[in-house]
Amino acid sequence: MRTGKNGICAGRVVVVTGAGRGLGRAHALAFAAAGARVVVNDLGVGLDGTPGPDSPAARVVDEIRAAGGEAVAHAGDVATGEGAASLIRAALETYGRLDTLVNNAGFLRDRMLVNLDEDDWDAVVRVHLKGHFLPLRHAAAHWRQETRAGRRPEARVINTSSGAGLLGSLGQGNYSAAKAGILGLTLVAAAELERYGVQVNAIAPAARTRMTERTFAAAMAAPDDGFDAMAPENVSPLVVWLGSADSAGVTGRVFEAEGGRITVMEGWRPGPTTDHGERRRPEEAGAAARKLLAEAETPGAVYGT
């Protein structure tokens, strides 16, 4: 990686959570290569969210600096108010500004629903959903203040959902619910923050990371054509573009990204409908529902089925 001082994000300050490994690391390196100054956040925990032996954030910072870029590490817990606040302060105190927030931090505690205990539910929902909300809240407060001071930003937020949030995934009820919640948060934030110069979008990436290595085990072998479709670096170009000023006018959208493929997801919208004009009896409601279902598109299959 070489940093590009005249790249698409030259002059911008970018915060990436969960940036010590996998997708977050790829995003941080890609932003630096595009000319951004990067705040690399990672708590340094294991796959299940328990403390790890060291923090990888500093290693990513070293990579960026070795390539001529600018970066600083942050090891706070973004699912706490103080951790999220200190993350935004790190950008402002180090570089004097904040332009882009990439919410990426997360971990897994997979169980089938009948085996999923309350602690595993709370832990996953906390880091994914609350870990998106709190950095977004503190960043948005800063951008609102800037707008009110006459300095309307060209701010960007990229949230990280998943195909599990779009379709569901067997054994991942907690993760699927949290990732679906991130989509709802993205839509609300896009509508509320547009007046402050903030665009908010979400990605649903498919890539090989610690969290997905079992899911994509069949794709782990080296590709014959030299293109590793499951490499996390494939997702980062879209994230960098969404985090740049070049993405002006794009907000409230959800993108799937995998390998060389990008898909705009169209989400929930009204399908077939009927209006009886008055209250139905249960049997009438059932007959109407079955008729509508016969006219509707079949939903995508839940992952793992």
Side-chain angles (χ1 to χ4, degrees):
M1 180 203 77
R2 292 183 179 179
T3 59
K5 298 299 184 182
N6 297 316
I8 193 174
C9 287
R12 294 180 72 82
V13 173
V14 177
V15 168
V16 185
T17 70
R21 303 179 178 92
L23 282 165
R25 172 182 173 275
H27 299 340
L29 295 175
F31 271 109
R37 293 166 287 176
V38 186
V39 179
V40 179
N41 163 266
D42 202 286
L43 190 56
V45 298
L47 182 60
D48 64 352
T50 56
D54 63 345
S55 172
R59 294 198 297 270
V60 176
V61 168
D62 288 343
E63 286 186 74
I64 292 172
R65 290 176 177 174
E70 296 182 57
V72 64
H74 178 271
D77 182 354
V78 297
T80 67
E82 177 51 34
S86 70
L87 174 64
I88 303 308
R89 284 199 307 269
L92 299 176
E93 292 175 359
T94 305
Y95 300 119
R97 60 184 295 148
L98 172 64
D99 299 286
T100 298
L101 168 65
V102 180
N103 284 315
N104 172 77
F107 59 75
L108 297 176
R109 290 190 183 177
D110 293 352
R111 300 283 191 281
M112 301 299 280
L113 286 174
V114 295
N115 296 320
L116 183 63
D117 64 35
E118 189 174 349
D119 288 343
D120 290 335
W121 174 275
D122 289 345
V124 169
V125 171
R126 172 187 175 275
V127 71
H128 287 278
L129 193 49
K130 193 174 181 182
H132 271 61
F133 161 65
L134 287 174
L136 173 57
R137 176 174 175 265
H138 286 282
H142 165 69
W143 288 322
R144 179 181 63 178
Q145 185 178 26
E146 288 291 285
T147 299
R148 289 177 173 176
R151 299 184 296 269
R152 193 172 189 269
E154 290 184 298
R156 307 287 186 261
V157 178
I158 301 93
N159 291 330
T160 306
S161 184
S162 167
L166 296 165
L167 295 173
S169 179
L170 290 184
Q172 294 189 312
N174 49 1
Y175 178 75
S176 297
K179 288 303 192 183
I182 288 168
L183 297 175
L185 176 64
T186 298
L187 299 179
V188 172
E192 290 186 356
L193 301 181
E194 187 174 12
R195 73 191 71 178
Y196 305 125
V198 184
Q199 295 181 183
V200 187
N201 295 285
I203 61 166
R208 183 182 58 254
T209 67
R210 289 193 306 166
M211 287 174 54
T212 62
E213 61 184 1
R214 286 180 296 175
T215 304
F216 297 124
M220 293 286 283
D224 294 333
D225 60 2
F227 176 56
D228 184 356
M230 289 293 103
E233 290 78 9
N234 299 329
V235 176
S236 299
L238 175 62
V239 175
V240 171
W241 181 78
L242 288 171
S244 74
D246 281 19
S247 64
V250 180
T251 194
R253 293 289 194 162
V254 179
F255 298 84
E256 275 196 335
E258 174 186 349
R261 178 177 62 85
I262 295 173
T263 303
V264 177
M265 305 305 291
E266 295 189 327
W268 293 105
R269 61 183 62 213
T273 185
T274 182
D275 187 350
H276 190 53
E278 59 184 7
R279 183 184 303 131
R280 292 180 170 92
R281 292 181 292 108
E283 296 83 358
E284 292 173 333
R290 287 198 178 277
K291 183 176 183 298
L292 294 175
L293 288 168
E295 300 170 1
E297 292 186 11
T298 302
V302 172
Y303 285 102
T305 59

